[in-house]
Amino acid sequence: GFNYIKNTKSAYPSTVHNLTSLFYLNYHITEKNYKKYPLTNIFPVIIQKKNADKVPLIKNLKKINYKFKWFGNSSYNCKMYNLDFCLEDTNKPQKKKFISPNVAETFLQRGPLIQIYAKINSFLGMSLSLDQIIIYPKENDSLGRFVSRMNNFKLKNQGYFFFIHNFVPHKPYVFNSDCALKKNLEKISLEKQIEIVPKEKAKILKGYKDQYECMLKRVDEFVNFINKNDPEANVIITSDHAHDIKDFFYLRYDSFTLVKTNKECQQNVSDNLNTANGVRLILGCTVGQKFNILEKRVYFVSFERGHFSTGGKLRLKRL
C-alpha cells in the first residue's frame, strides 16, 4: 500500500533548512529574502516552547485538534527543545541538555580549542577530557524506537501527528547493517566521536552502506507496523537530504520517498514531494481537502561567512 515516488528532490542541501520548510509548509529561504533572513527562524529553534504556536504546521494541527509528537535523536529531540512535544510523561523531572552534540562538534572542529586542549594535555601532562558531552547512538534509531515503543499504543482514529526524525544512515557510523550497535559504542563522548569519524574514503563508504542497509530494514519494519496497527494513516517516509558520497554535490538533493494515503485523499502524488510539499499532502489527506502543491524548487544555500551557531551572511542560488 506504500508507493515509491521516483525522481524526488530535496529543496535544500541540509537538515536544518529542509526541516524548517516542513514546519513552515513552504520555501522559507528564497531569492527574495535570503540576504536578510533571521537565523533564529530555523529548525529546531522555531519549535521551542516560546515559538512553536506561531509555526504554520503547529497552528494548523491545533485547528484540527491533532497533537504533535516528536521522536527525535541524539542531536534534535523534544527533551532538548520542547517538552510539550514528548510522548512520555513530562511531569517527571527532565535533564535539560544545553549543547547539541552536532553543533558542539562542528564548533570544536572549526576552531582551535581541540588543538589547544591537545597541546596543554601534552605539555603539562594533565588529564583534560571532553567526556562530559555524551551522545547515546541508540537514540538515532528513532524509527526502531517508535515501532517498539508504540506497539501497544492505540493509534487507529486518533488525532496524532508523529514527526520521526531518524538519524540513520547519518554519521557517526555506529550501526551494522542489521541495526545492531557496534561493540563498545552504546555511548560516545565528544572526544570519542571525533576519534571514530573515519577519514579514509573506503571506511566512510562502508559505514554509510551498513547504515543505509539498516535504514531499509527499519523502513520495511515500519511499513509492516503501520499496515497492521494504523492502516488508514497518512504517511510519508522521506530523506531530508542525501549524501554526496561520490564527490558530486548534486547527489545531496536526491531523496528517497515512500507515500501511503487514505482512501479519502483528494490529492494526486507527484515527484515534487520535498518536505514542504510532503507535509501539505499529509494535512490535505487528513482533513479531506485539496491543498495547493508548491512548484518543485531546488536551492543551494550556505554561509558566505559565519555559521548557524554564530550567525552570519547567507548565499543562495536556485539550481
Side-chain angles (χ1 to χ4, degrees), residues 252-266:
R252 286 189 70 84
Y253 295 92
D254 288 346
S255 58
F256 172 97
T257 308
L258 278 180
V259 177
K260 181 182 175 72
T261 57
N262 60 24
K263 295 170 187 173
E264 290 75 31
C265 187
Q266 300 176 22

Side-chain angles (χ1 to χ4, degrees), residues 35-275:
K35 291 182 179 179
K36 296 181 179 179
Y37 192 83
L39 295 178
T40 50
N41 288 1
I42 57 170
F43 173 86
V45 176
I46 53 170
I47 52 174
Q48 287 178 329
K49 204 161 189 172
K50 62 182 179 180
N51 302 325
D53 287 344
K54 304 170 192 173
V55 176
L57 174 59
I58 306 301
K59 284 168 68 175
N60 277 281
L61 290 174
K62 283 194 171 183
K63 286 180 184 177
I64 60 174
N65 295 317
Y66 264 63
K67 296 176 183 176
F68 179 87
K69 295 298 173 185
W70 180 4
F71 275 72
N73 48 61
S74 62
S75 291
Y76 308 106
N77 61 67
C78 62
K79 291 178 184 177
M80 196 183 292
Y81 291 100
N82 194 329
L83 291 174
D84 291 347
F85 296 151
C86 295
L87 189 69
E88 52 268 16
D89 182 7
T90 54
N91 293 322
K92 294 178 183 176
Q94 301 284 353
K95 220 180 208 181
K96 186 168 177 72
K97 296 178 183 177
F98 291 95
I99 298 177
S100 164
N102 271 15
V103 173
E105 178 190 354
T106 303
F107 173 74
L108 290 169
Q109 284 180 336
R110 289 167 68 98
L113 293 182
I114 289 180
Q115 290 89 337
I116 292 171
Y117 150 77
K119 285 186 178 181
I120 292 174
N121 196 30
S122 173
F123 184 72
L124 299 178
M126 295 171 63
S127 182
L128 300 176
S129 178
L130 300 172
D131 286 343
Q132 288 80 6
I133 302 175
I134 302 289
I135 69 163
Y136 296 88
K138 192 78 175 172
E139 293 180 11
N140 292 339
D141 182 17
S142 309
L143 213 51
R145 289 192 296 111
F146 179 86
V147 169
S148 60
R149 173 78 193 278
M150 307 302 289
N151 208 27
N152 297 313
F153 192 89
K154 187 181 178 184
L155 285 167
K156 289 182 183 176
N157 303 315
Q158 300 296 308
Y160 284 98
F161 184 104
F162 291 105
F163 170 56
I164 308 168
H165 186 189
N166 207 70
F167 238 38
V168 181
H170 200 285
K171 69 176 185 178
Y173 301 133
V174 295
F175 292 98
N176 294 313
S177 58
D178 63 355
C179 294
L181 272 174
K182 293 177 181 175
K183 194 175 179 182
N184 299 324
L185 293 179
E186 290 78 15
K187 64 178 185 177
I188 307 175
S189 67
L190 180 62
E191 192 171 50
K192 181 69 175 173
Q193 186 178 352
I194 292 168
E195 284 175 15
I196 66 173
V197 172
K199 297 290 187 290
E200 301 88 351
K201 190 64 181 267
K203 287 185 178 178
I204 294 172
L205 288 167
K206 176 69 167 60
Y208 183 78
K209 181 175 181 289
D210 284 347
Q211 297 203 171
Y212 193 92
E213 289 173 353
C214 164
M215 184 66 208
L216 292 179
K217 178 178 184 287
R218 288 291 187 245
V219 167
D220 197 45
E221 293 167 353
F222 180 71
V223 164
N224 292 333
F225 172 85
I226 290 294
N227 285 332
K228 177 184 174 183
N229 295 285
D230 199 9
E232 289 298 304
N234 296 303
V235 184
I236 292 183
I237 304 171
T238 187
S239 50
D240 59 344
H241 65 83
H243 196 313
D244 47 350
I245 203 77
K246 293 182 180 177
D247 296 325
F248 184 49
F249 181 76
Y250 289 101
L251 288 178
R252 286 189 70 84
Y253 295 92
D254 288 346
S255 58
F256 172 97
T257 308
L258 278 180
V259 177
K260 181 182 175 72
T261 57
N262 60 24
K263 295 170 187 173
E264 290 75 31
C265 187
Q266 300 176 22
Q267 191 76 55
N268 293 324
V269 179
S270 65
D271 70 359
N272 62 354
L273 276 197
N274 48 38
T275 50

